[in-house]
Amino acid sequence: MQAEIITIGDEILIGQILDSNSKWIAEQLNTIGVSVYQITSIQDDKQHILKAVNEAQSNCDIVIITGGLGPTKDDITKLTLAEYFNDTLVLNEDIVGQIKEMFAKMKYPFTEVNKQQALVPSKCIPLKNEFGTAPGMWFESNSKIVVSLPGVPNEMKGLMQNSVLPKLKETFKLPFILHKTILTYGMGESMVAERIEVWEDNLPIYIKLAYLPSYGKLRLRLTAKGIDDQLLKKVINNEVDKLFKLIPDIIVGLEENETIEVALGKLLTDKKQTLATAESCTGGNIAKKITSIAGSSNYFVGSIVAYHESIKIKELNVNAALIAKYSVVSSQVAEAMVKGIQQKFNTSYAIATTGNAGPTADNTDKTVGTVFIAIATPTTIFSEEFFFGKPREKVIERASNKALELLRKEILKN
């Protein structure tokens, strides 16, 4: 069973807002066994809407539309769908009563403009909107479904959860779709693919593998689809177990419950150890990742963003002569920074970063994208040099992820 999502609104196409509605709808459809064939964003224009709906119906069994429903003249979706289905608008007294009741509770006047919201195509099944005045609309035509929903996120979500999803489950015999996403760090997509090639080639035909690379990490997503929920769970868990045995050195955990930040927190908590960070080029991004986890105050002591060399000297006790000799972007300075933060906050472990995130190399001779990451453990200090390329955002994110990866490996050694 496949669906297409159509979002209507010029504000999406000019980049004024992100299309978060489609993402959420796709996630919800997936939970009931409906695959999304395509997502389309179009102008708030009659011809665009007519064309998009016609094409979507030719592609899929289910079409979900958001946007263009409201009391103002630029909200034309309802009129356009009435034309598409060769229909006319009729006043729905149940919706009139609902809107009046809502306005009475808020002590708002009920006007003729508000009453227009209760005009719906006669061929549709109106869907009660608990959070607004524009009802959803459910059309059935040639064994296919077209649903129109408001673009306001809380109204759309309420209608999807209370009306659309239950009604889709009643209308269609839907399969189960299960996902498992494994997080890996420290190895590129092609190298991972080579290591798991035989395993991948022997996956059951109803299980698909997707490689999802991002800065410094790679997600491996397994998707199983079928009618037997218990069988799918058993088989997909079995394949995940095989994968854990194949590449245990780079797997951090399952995305559903264990990011690398979570894994680090568990390790530090179990070992009753602490952590601090001293960041230059990453600008506090590592500390942000660590503190995004609830309970991180149990092991994370604090951080200093030593962006300027004077802060490195004053707060981290980095020798000015060391900076003069090697520059701030050097292994020597990275190690002095990590030693300084470990001693200052008296922690078991520490991380320090210094580098050129770009767009310019400032007053160093190091190429933009060069980053030194230093790790302090209870017994040693070391640093590594990396080149993360461009642009600036990529350098910061990759350096942050690599720092967490290096720290995790050191904790696991002890």
Side-chain angles (χ1 to χ4, degrees), residues 193-233:
E194 187 175 341
R195 286 184 63 180
I196 65 174
E197 182 178 7
V198 175
W199 168 82
E200 183 179 355
D201 289 342
N202 286 281
L203 284 172
I205 58 172
Y206 52 87
I207 295 182
K208 293 183 179 180
L209 173 67
Y211 293 82
L212 308 170
S214 57
Y215 298 144
K217 58 185 177 181
L218 172 68
R219 293 178 295 158
L220 302 172
R221 187 188 66 220
L222 285 168
T223 300
K225 186 175 182 179
I227 59 172
D228 189 332
D229 182 30
Q230 295 305 312
L231 175 63
L232 291 181
K233 287 179 180 177

mmCIF file of all heavy atoms in Angstrom, residues 193-233:
data_model
loop_
_atom_site.group_PDB
_atom_site.id
_atom_site.type_symbol
_atom_site.label_atom_id
_atom_site.label_comp_id
_atom_site.label_asym_id
_atom_site.label_seq_id
_atom_site.Cartn_x
_atom_site.Cartn_y
_atom_site.Cartn_z
ATOM 1 N N ALA A 193 30.635 -1.369 3.695
ATOM 2 C CA ALA A 193 29.940 -2.205 2.707
ATOM 3 C C ALA A 193 30.780 -3.420 2.326
ATOM 4 O O ALA A 193 30.247 -4.528 2.139
ATOM 5 C CB ALA A 193 29.617 -1.376 1.467
ATOM 6 N N GLU A 194 32.083 -3.221 2.226
ATOM 7 C CA GLU A 194 32.976 -4.329 1.887
ATOM 8 C C GLU A 194 33.017 -5.375 3.004
ATOM 9 O O GLU A 194 33.008 -6.584 2.741
ATOM 10 C CB GLU A 194 34.387 -3.785 1.629
ATOM 11 C CG GLU A 194 35.357 -4.832 1.106
ATOM 12 C CD GLU A 194 36.705 -4.238 0.753
ATOM 13 O OE1 GLU A 194 36.792 -3.005 0.557
ATOM 14 O OE2 GLU A 194 37.681 -5.018 0.675
ATOM 15 N N ARG A 195 33.015 -4.898 4.248
ATOM 16 C CA ARG A 195 33.091 -5.824 5.381
ATOM 17 C C ARG A 195 31.818 -6.656 5.549
ATOM 18 O O ARG A 195 31.864 -7.778 6.040
ATOM 19 C CB ARG A 195 33.378 -5.049 6.671
ATOM 20 C CG ARG A 195 34.810 -4.547 6.773
ATOM 21 C CD ARG A 195 35.062 -3.864 8.109
ATOM 22 N NE ARG A 195 34.921 -4.774 9.241
ATOM 23 C CZ ARG A 195 35.099 -4.402 10.515
ATOM 24 N NH1 ARG A 195 35.405 -3.139 10.791
ATOM 25 N NH2 ARG A 195 34.957 -5.275 11.491
ATOM 26 N N ILE A 196 30.667 -6.094 5.166
ATOM 27 C CA ILE A 196 29.396 -6.801 5.404
ATOM 28 C C ILE A 196 28.766 -7.313 4.100
ATOM 29 O O ILE A 196 27.595 -7.678 4.081
ATOM 30 C CB ILE A 196 28.392 -5.900 6.149
ATOM 31 C CG1 ILE A 196 27.988 -4.688 5.292
ATOM 32 C CG2 ILE A 196 28.964 -5.445 7.484
ATOM 33 C CD1 ILE A 196 26.896 -3.839 5.928
ATOM 34 N N GLU A 197 29.562 -7.363 3.034
ATOM 35 C CA GLU A 197 29.020 -7.702 1.710
ATOM 36 C C GLU A 197 28.333 -9.066 1.687
ATOM 37 O O GLU A 197 27.211 -9.208 1.167
ATOM 38 C CB GLU A 197 30.140 -7.668 0.677
ATOM 39 C CG GLU A 197 29.662 -7.955 -0.746
ATOM 40 C CD GLU A 197 30.779 -7.868 -1.764
ATOM 41 O OE1 GLU A 197 31.951 -7.712 -1.364
ATOM 42 O OE2 GLU A 197 30.479 -7.971 -2.970
ATOM 43 N N VAL A 198 28.979 -10.091 2.229
ATOM 44 C CA VAL A 198 28.403 -11.437 2.199
ATOM 45 C C VAL A 198 27.098 -11.476 2.992
ATOM 46 O O VAL A 198 26.097 -12.060 2.558
ATOM 47 C CB VAL A 198 29.405 -12.461 2.755
ATOM 48 C CG1 VAL A 198 28.757 -13.846 2.841
ATOM 49 C CG2 VAL A 198 30.650 -12.517 1.870
ATOM 50 N N TRP A 199 27.117 -10.846 4.172
ATOM 51 C CA TRP A 199 25.897 -10.783 4.997
ATOM 52 C C TRP A 199 24.770 -10.083 4.244
ATOM 53 O O TRP A 199 23.632 -10.555 4.221
ATOM 54 C CB TRP A 199 26.213 -10.053 6.298
ATOM 55 C CG TRP A 199 25.005 -9.679 7.105
ATOM 56 C CD1 TRP A 199 24.306 -10.465 7.962
ATOM 57 C CD2 TRP A 199 24.350 -8.401 7.129
ATOM 58 N NE1 TRP A 199 23.260 -9.769 8.518
ATOM 59 C CE2 TRP A 199 23.264 -8.501 8.022
ATOM 60 C CE3 TRP A 199 24.596 -7.185 6.483
ATOM 61 C CZ2 TRP A 199 22.414 -7.421 8.284
ATOM 62 C CZ3 TRP A 199 23.747 -6.112 6.741
ATOM 63 C CH2 TRP A 199 22.678 -6.238 7.625
ATOM 64 N N GLU A 200 25.092 -8.960 3.617
ATOM 65 C CA GLU A 200 24.077 -8.193 2.882
ATOM 66 C C GLU A 200 23.495 -9.001 1.728
ATOM 67 O O GLU A 200 22.283 -8.988 1.483
ATOM 68 C CB GLU A 200 24.676 -6.889 2.359
ATOM 69 C CG GLU A 200 23.676 -6.001 1.645
ATOM 70 C CD GLU A 200 24.285 -4.702 1.147
ATOM 71 O OE1 GLU A 200 25.473 -4.439 1.428
ATOM 72 O OE2 GLU A 200 23.565 -3.942 0.458
ATOM 73 N N ASP A 201 24.369 -9.729 1.010
ATOM 74 C CA ASP A 201 23.906 -10.516 -0.143
ATOM 75 C C ASP A 201 22.972 -11.646 0.272
ATOM 76 O O ASP A 201 22.200 -12.150 -0.548
ATOM 77 C CB ASP A 201 25.104 -11.101 -0.899
ATOM 78 C CG ASP A 201 25.902 -10.040 -1.646
ATOM 79 O OD1 ASP A 201 25.360 -8.938 -1.859
ATOM 80 O OD2 ASP A 201 27.068 -10.320 -2.000
ATOM 81 N N ASN A 202 23.036 -12.050 1.540
ATOM 82 C CA ASN A 202 22.226 -13.174 2.005
ATOM 83 C C ASN A 202 21.030 -12.751 2.850
ATOM 84 O O ASN A 202 20.402 -13.594 3.500
ATOM 85 C CB ASN A 202 23.105 -14.148 2.796
ATOM 86 C CG ASN A 202 24.029 -14.949 1.893
ATOM 87 O OD1 ASN A 202 23.614 -15.916 1.262
ATOM 88 N ND2 ASN A 202 25.279 -14.534 1.808
ATOM 89 N N LEU A 203 20.710 -11.471 2.834
ATOM 90 C CA LEU A 203 19.518 -11.014 3.542
ATOM 91 C C LEU A 203 18.262 -11.597 2.904
ATOM 92 O O LEU A 203 18.197 -11.757 1.678
ATOM 93 C CB LEU A 203 19.424 -9.483 3.506
ATOM 94 C CG LEU A 203 20.344 -8.688 4.431
ATOM 95 C CD1 LEU A 203 20.256 -7.205 4.118
ATOM 96 C CD2 LEU A 203 19.997 -8.938 5.901
ATOM 97 N N PRO A 204 17.227 -11.920 3.692
ATOM 98 C CA PRO A 204 15.954 -12.359 3.110
ATOM 99 C C PRO A 204 15.413 -11.307 2.143
ATOM 100 O O PRO A 204 15.648 -10.110 2.323
ATOM 101 C CB PRO A 204 15.047 -12.503 4.335
ATOM 102 C CG PRO A 204 15.978 -12.719 5.482
ATOM 103 C CD PRO A 204 17.207 -11.918 5.168
ATOM 104 N N ILE A 205 14.687 -11.762 1.143
ATOM 105 C CA ILE A 205 14.236 -10.846 0.089
ATOM 106 C C ILE A 205 13.296 -9.765 0.613
ATOM 107 O O ILE A 205 13.143 -8.715 -0.004
ATOM 108 C CB ILE A 205 13.547 -11.610 -1.062
ATOM 109 C CG1 ILE A 205 12.352 -12.413 -0.538
ATOM 110 C CG2 ILE A 205 14.529 -12.512 -1.778
ATOM 111 C CD1 ILE A 205 11.517 -13.042 -1.643
ATOM 112 N N TYR A 206 12.662 -9.991 1.759
ATOM 113 C CA TYR A 206 11.730 -8.998 2.297
ATOM 114 C C TYR A 206 12.402 -8.042 3.280
ATOM 115 O O TYR A 206 11.734 -7.250 3.937
ATOM 116 C CB TYR A 206 10.522 -9.685 2.958
ATOM 117 C CG TYR A 206 10.878 -10.735 3.981
ATOM 118 C CD1 TYR A 206 11.113 -10.407 5.310
ATOM 119 C CD2 TYR A 206 10.979 -12.075 3.603
ATOM 120 C CE1 TYR A 206 11.444 -11.365 6.239
ATOM 121 C CE2 TYR A 206 11.312 -13.057 4.528
ATOM 122 C CZ TYR A 206 11.544 -12.697 5.844
ATOM 123 O OH TYR A 206 11.878 -13.654 6.772
ATOM 124 N N ILE A 207 13.726 -8.106 3.371
ATOM 125 C CA ILE A 207 14.476 -7.163 4.202
ATOM 126 C C ILE A 207 15.418 -6.360 3.310
ATOM 127 O O ILE A 207 16.170 -6.916 2.518
ATOM 128 C CB ILE A 207 15.284 -7.882 5.300
ATOM 129 C CG1 ILE A 207 14.345 -8.576 6.280
ATOM 130 C CG2 ILE A 207 16.171 -6.892 6.045
ATOM 131 C CD1 ILE A 207 15.053 -9.268 7.433
ATOM 132 N N LYS A 208 15.355 -5.046 3.447
ATOM 133 C CA LYS A 208 16.211 -4.161 2.667
ATOM 134 C C LYS A 208 17.176 -3.420 3.578
ATOM 135 O O LYS A 208 16.826 -3.056 4.712
ATOM 136 C CB LYS A 208 15.369 -3.148 1.882
ATOM 137 C CG LYS A 208 14.528 -3.773 0.779
ATOM 138 C CD LYS A 208 13.783 -2.709 -0.016
ATOM 139 C CE LYS A 208 12.971 -3.327 -1.141
ATOM 140 N NZ LYS A 208 12.234 -2.292 -1.921
ATOM 141 N N LEU A 209 18.389 -3.187 3.070
ATOM 142 C CA LEU A 209 19.405 -2.453 3.813
ATOM 143 C C LEU A 209 19.653 -1.112 3.140
ATOM 144 O O LEU A 209 19.821 -1.041 1.920
ATOM 145 C CB LEU A 209 20.707 -3.247 3.869
ATOM 146 C CG LEU A 209 21.910 -2.533 4.484
ATOM 147 C CD1 LEU A 209 21.696 -2.290 5.974
ATOM 148 C CD2 LEU A 209 23.194 -3.324 4.245
ATOM 149 N N ALA A 210 19.694 -0.054 3.942
ATOM 150 C CA ALA A 210 20.021 1.281 3.430
ATOM 151 C C ALA A 210 21.227 1.825 4.181
ATOM 152 O O ALA A 210 21.314 1.690 5.409
ATOM 153 C CB ALA A 210 18.828 2.223 3.587
ATOM 154 N N TYR A 211 22.166 2.435 3.440
ATOM 155 C CA TYR A 211 23.319 3.097 4.035
ATOM 156 C C TYR A 211 22.994 4.585 4.169
ATOM 157 O O TYR A 211 22.669 5.242 3.166
ATOM 158 C CB TYR A 211 24.554 2.919 3.158
ATOM 159 C CG TYR A 211 25.064 1.507 3.060
ATOM 160 C CD1 TYR A 211 24.500 0.595 2.170
ATOM 161 C CD2 TYR A 211 26.111 1.074 3.854
ATOM 162 C CE1 TYR A 211 24.971 -0.708 2.070
ATOM 163 C CE2 TYR A 211 26.607 -0.229 3.764
ATOM 164 C CZ TYR A 211 26.027 -1.109 2.877
ATOM 165 O OH TYR A 211 26.502 -2.399 2.781
ATOM 166 N N LEU A 212 23.098 5.123 5.379
ATOM 167 C CA LEU A 212 22.745 6.519 5.638
ATOM 168 C C LEU A 212 23.940 7.241 6.258
ATOM 169 O O LEU A 212 24.057 7.353 7.483
ATOM 170 C CB LEU A 212 21.529 6.585 6.574
ATOM 171 C CG LEU A 212 20.304 5.761 6.142
ATOM 172 C CD1 LEU A 212 19.280 5.715 7.248
ATOM 173 C CD2 LEU A 212 19.701 6.333 4.864
ATOM 174 N N PRO A 213 24.860 7.721 5.413
ATOM 175 C CA PRO A 213 26.063 8.375 5.946
ATOM 176 C C PRO A 213 25.810 9.818 6.350
ATOM 177 O O PRO A 213 24.964 10.505 5.764
ATOM 178 C CB PRO A 213 27.044 8.311 4.769
ATOM 179 C CG PRO A 213 26.167 8.316 3.553
ATOM 180 C CD PRO A 213 24.894 7.605 3.956
ATOM 181 N N SER A 214 26.505 10.267 7.375
ATOM 182 C CA SER A 214 26.527 11.673 7.757
ATOM 183 C C SER A 214 27.891 11.955 8.346
ATOM 184 O O SER A 214 28.770 11.086 8.343
ATOM 185 C CB SER A 214 25.399 12.018 8.732
ATOM 186 O OG SER A 214 25.468 11.216 9.886
ATOM 187 N N TYR A 215 28.095 13.161 8.868
ATOM 188 C CA TYR A 215 29.420 13.598 9.272
ATOM 189 C C TYR A 215 30.039 12.700 10.339
ATOM 190 O O TYR A 215 29.678 12.752 11.506
ATOM 191 C CB TYR A 215 29.367 15.029 9.793
ATOM 192 C CG TYR A 215 28.916 16.042 8.768
ATOM 193 C CD1 TYR A 215 28.139 17.125 9.140
ATOM 194 C CD2 TYR A 215 29.267 15.915 7.436
ATOM 195 C CE1 TYR A 215 27.722 18.061 8.203
ATOM 196 C CE2 TYR A 215 28.856 16.835 6.493
ATOM 197 C CZ TYR A 215 28.083 17.914 6.880
ATOM 198 O OH TYR A 215 27.678 18.830 5.959
ATOM 199 N N GLY A 216 30.970 11.841 9.913
ATOM 200 C CA GLY A 216 31.727 11.036 10.856
ATOM 201 C C GLY A 216 31.022 9.802 11.360
ATOM 202 O O GLY A 216 31.545 9.097 12.212
ATOM 203 N N LYS A 217 29.826 9.527 10.861
ATOM 204 C CA LYS A 217 29.102 8.342 11.308
ATOM 205 C C LYS A 217 28.291 7.768 10.158
ATOM 206 O O LYS A 217 28.057 8.427 9.141
ATOM 207 C CB LYS A 217 28.193 8.664 12.494
ATOM 208 C CG LYS A 217 27.153 9.747 12.229
ATOM 209 C CD LYS A 217 26.383 10.078 13.511
ATOM 210 C CE LYS A 217 25.395 11.210 13.272
ATOM 211 N NZ LYS A 217 24.657 11.573 14.504
ATOM 212 N N LEU A 218 27.874 6.521 10.318
ATOM 213 C CA LEU A 218 27.104 5.844 9.284
ATOM 214 C C LEU A 218 25.993 5.048 9.952
ATOM 215 O O LEU A 218 26.243 4.270 10.879
ATOM 216 C CB LEU A 218 28.006 4.902 8.479
ATOM 217 C CG LEU A 218 27.316 3.970 7.469
ATOM 218 C CD1 LEU A 218 26.731 4.787 6.310
ATOM 219 C CD2 LEU A 218 28.299 2.931 6.947
ATOM 220 N N ARG A 219 24.770 5.254 9.488
ATOM 221 C CA ARG A 219 23.636 4.486 9.986
ATOM 222 C C ARG A 219 23.304 3.387 8.979
ATOM 223 O O ARG A 219 23.273 3.641 7.773
ATOM 224 C CB ARG A 219 22.414 5.370 10.202
ATOM 225 C CG ARG A 219 22.579 6.382 11.330
ATOM 226 C CD ARG A 219 21.361 7.263 11.463
ATOM 227 N NE ARG A 219 21.176 8.093 10.282
ATOM 228 C CZ ARG A 219 20.029 8.643 9.911
ATOM 229 N NH1 ARG A 219 18.943 8.435 10.630
ATOM 230 N NH2 ARG A 219 19.952 9.389 8.832
ATOM 231 N N LEU A 220 23.077 2.196 9.480
ATOM 232 C CA LEU A 220 22.653 1.067 8.647
ATOM 233 C C LEU A 220 21.209 0.750 9.019
ATOM 234 O O LEU A 220 20.936 0.296 10.128
ATOM 235 C CB LEU A 220 23.545 -0.139 8.896
ATOM 236 C CG LEU A 220 25.043 0.073 8.641
ATOM 237 C CD1 LEU A 220 25.832 -1.137 9.106
ATOM 238 C CD2 LEU A 220 25.305 0.348 7.168
ATOM 239 N N ARG A 221 20.298 1.028 8.089
ATOM 240 C CA ARG A 221 18.880 0.841 8.404
ATOM 241 C C ARG A 221 18.343 -0.399 7.709
ATOM 242 O O ARG A 221 18.390 -0.520 6.487
ATOM 243 C CB ARG A 221 18.057 2.047 7.964
ATOM 244 C CG ARG A 221 16.587 1.977 8.430
ATOM 245 C CD ARG A 221 15.761 3.088 7.826
ATOM 246 N NE ARG A 221 15.640 2.926 6.392
ATOM 247 C CZ ARG A 221 15.686 3.933 5.511
ATOM 248 N NH1 ARG A 221 15.862 5.175 5.932
ATOM 249 N NH2 ARG A 221 15.586 3.708 4.217
ATOM 250 N N LEU A 222 17.838 -1.323 8.509
ATOM 251 C CA LEU A 222 17.178 -2.520 7.996
ATOM 252 C C LEU A 222 15.675 -2.295 8.009
ATOM 253 O O LEU A 222 15.117 -1.854 9.011
ATOM 254 C CB LEU A 222 17.513 -3.733 8.862
ATOM 255 C CG LEU A 222 18.914 -4.327 8.709
ATOM 256 C CD1 LEU A 222 19.180 -5.313 9.826
ATOM 257 C CD2 LEU A 222 19.072 -4.987 7.362
ATOM 258 N N THR A 223 15.015 -2.596 6.895
ATOM 259 C CA THR A 223 13.564 -2.450 6.793
ATOM 260 C C THR A 223 12.958 -3.782 6.376
ATOM 261 O O THR A 223 13.352 -4.359 5.359
ATOM 262 C CB THR A 223 13.182 -1.371 5.763
ATOM 263 O OG1 THR A 223 13.739 -0.120 6.167
ATOM 264 C CG2 THR A 223 11.672 -1.234 5.659
ATOM 265 N N ALA A 224 12.027 -4.281 7.178
ATOM 266 C CA ALA A 224 11.332 -5.532 6.876
ATOM 267 C C ALA A 224 9.852 -5.242 6.670
ATOM 268 O O ALA A 224 9.255 -4.470 7.415
ATOM 269 C CB ALA A 224 11.522 -6.534 8.013
ATOM 270 N N LYS A 225 9.275 -5.888 5.670
ATOM 271 C CA LYS A 225 7.872 -5.637 5.343
ATOM 272 C C LYS A 225 7.175 -6.961 5.075
ATOM 273 O O LYS A 225 7.664 -7.794 4.307
ATOM 274 C CB LYS A 225 7.771 -4.723 4.110
ATOM 275 C CG LYS A 225 6.362 -4.275 3.776
ATOM 276 C CD LYS A 225 6.405 -3.272 2.626
ATOM 277 C CE LYS A 225 5.031 -2.756 2.275
ATOM 278 N NZ LYS A 225 5.074 -1.763 1.177
ATOM 279 N N GLY A 226 6.020 -7.173 5.733
ATOM 280 C CA GLY A 226 5.277 -8.405 5.531
ATOM 281 C C GLY A 226 4.012 -8.437 6.357
ATOM 282 O O GLY A 226 3.670 -7.467 7.039
ATOM 283 N N ILE A 227 3.318 -9.564 6.343
ATOM 284 C CA ILE A 227 2.018 -9.658 7.014
ATOM 285 C C ILE A 227 2.122 -10.303 8.401
ATOM 286 O O ILE A 227 1.183 -10.227 9.185
ATOM 287 C CB ILE A 227 0.999 -10.443 6.161
ATOM 288 C CG1 ILE A 227 1.517 -11.862 5.874
ATOM 289 C CG2 ILE A 227 0.710 -9.712 4.858
ATOM 290 C CD1 ILE A 227 0.483 -12.756 5.207
ATOM 291 N N ASP A 228 3.263 -10.939 8.682
ATOM 292 C CA ASP A 228 3.439 -11.623 9.971
ATOM 293 C C ASP A 228 4.358 -10.796 10.854
ATOM 294 O O ASP A 228 5.584 -10.836 10.726
ATOM 295 C CB ASP A 228 4.017 -13.022 9.739
ATOM 296 C CG ASP A 228 4.023 -13.873 11.011
ATOM 297 O OD1 ASP A 228 4.106 -13.291 12.110
ATOM 298 O OD2 ASP A 228 3.957 -15.104 10.898
ATOM 299 N N ASP A 229 3.778 -10.054 11.776
ATOM 300 C CA ASP A 229 4.524 -9.140 12.632
ATOM 301 C C ASP A 229 5.586 -9.873 13.462
ATOM 302 O O ASP A 229 6.743 -9.444 13.546
ATOM 303 C CB ASP A 229 3.535 -8.412 13.551
ATOM 304 C CG ASP A 229 4.218 -7.392 14.441
ATOM 305 O OD1 ASP A 229 5.243 -6.838 14.031
ATOM 306 O OD2 ASP A 229 3.725 -7.138 15.554
ATOM 307 N N GLN A 230 5.215 -10.974 14.070
ATOM 308 C CA GLN A 230 6.138 -11.703 14.938
ATOM 309 C C GLN A 230 7.307 -12.296 14.158
ATOM 310 O O GLN A 230 8.455 -12.283 14.619
ATOM 311 C CB GLN A 230 5.390 -12.809 15.697
ATOM 312 C CG GLN A 230 4.354 -12.295 16.672
ATOM 313 C CD GLN A 230 4.950 -11.310 17.677
ATOM 314 O OE1 GLN A 230 5.988 -11.566 18.286
ATOM 315 N NE2 GLN A 230 4.296 -10.168 17.844
ATOM 316 N N LEU A 231 7.034 -12.814 12.974
ATOM 317 C CA LEU A 231 8.100 -13.364 12.133
ATOM 318 C C LEU A 231 9.081 -12.272 11.727
ATOM 319 O O LEU A 231 10.306 -12.472 11.774
ATOM 320 C CB LEU A 231 7.508 -14.026 10.885
ATOM 321 C CG LEU A 231 8.547 -14.541 9.860
ATOM 322 C CD1 LEU A 231 9.400 -15.634 10.469
ATOM 323 C CD2 LEU A 231 7.838 -15.035 8.593
ATOM 324 N N LEU A 232 8.551 -11.111 11.339
ATOM 325 C CA LEU A 232 9.411 -9.998 10.937
ATOM 326 C C LEU A 232 10.335 -9.593 12.080
ATOM 327 O O LEU A 232 11.537 -9.367 11.881
ATOM 328 C CB LEU A 232 8.566 -8.803 10.500
ATOM 329 C CG LEU A 232 7.772 -8.939 9.202
ATOM 330 C CD1 LEU A 232 7.023 -7.649 8.925
ATOM 331 C CD2 LEU A 232 8.668 -9.286 8.032
ATOM 332 N N LYS A 233 9.776 -9.486 13.291
ATOM 333 C CA LYS A 233 10.584 -9.091 14.446
ATOM 334 C C LYS A 233 11.690 -10.104 14.705
ATOM 335 O O LYS A 233 12.843 -9.731 14.974
ATOM 336 C CB LYS A 233 9.694 -8.962 15.688
ATOM 337 C CG LYS A 233 8.801 -7.741 15.689
ATOM 338 C CD LYS A 233 7.932 -7.702 16.946
ATOM 339 C CE LYS A 233 7.026 -6.469 16.936
ATOM 340 N NZ LYS A 233 6.128 -6.448 18.126
#
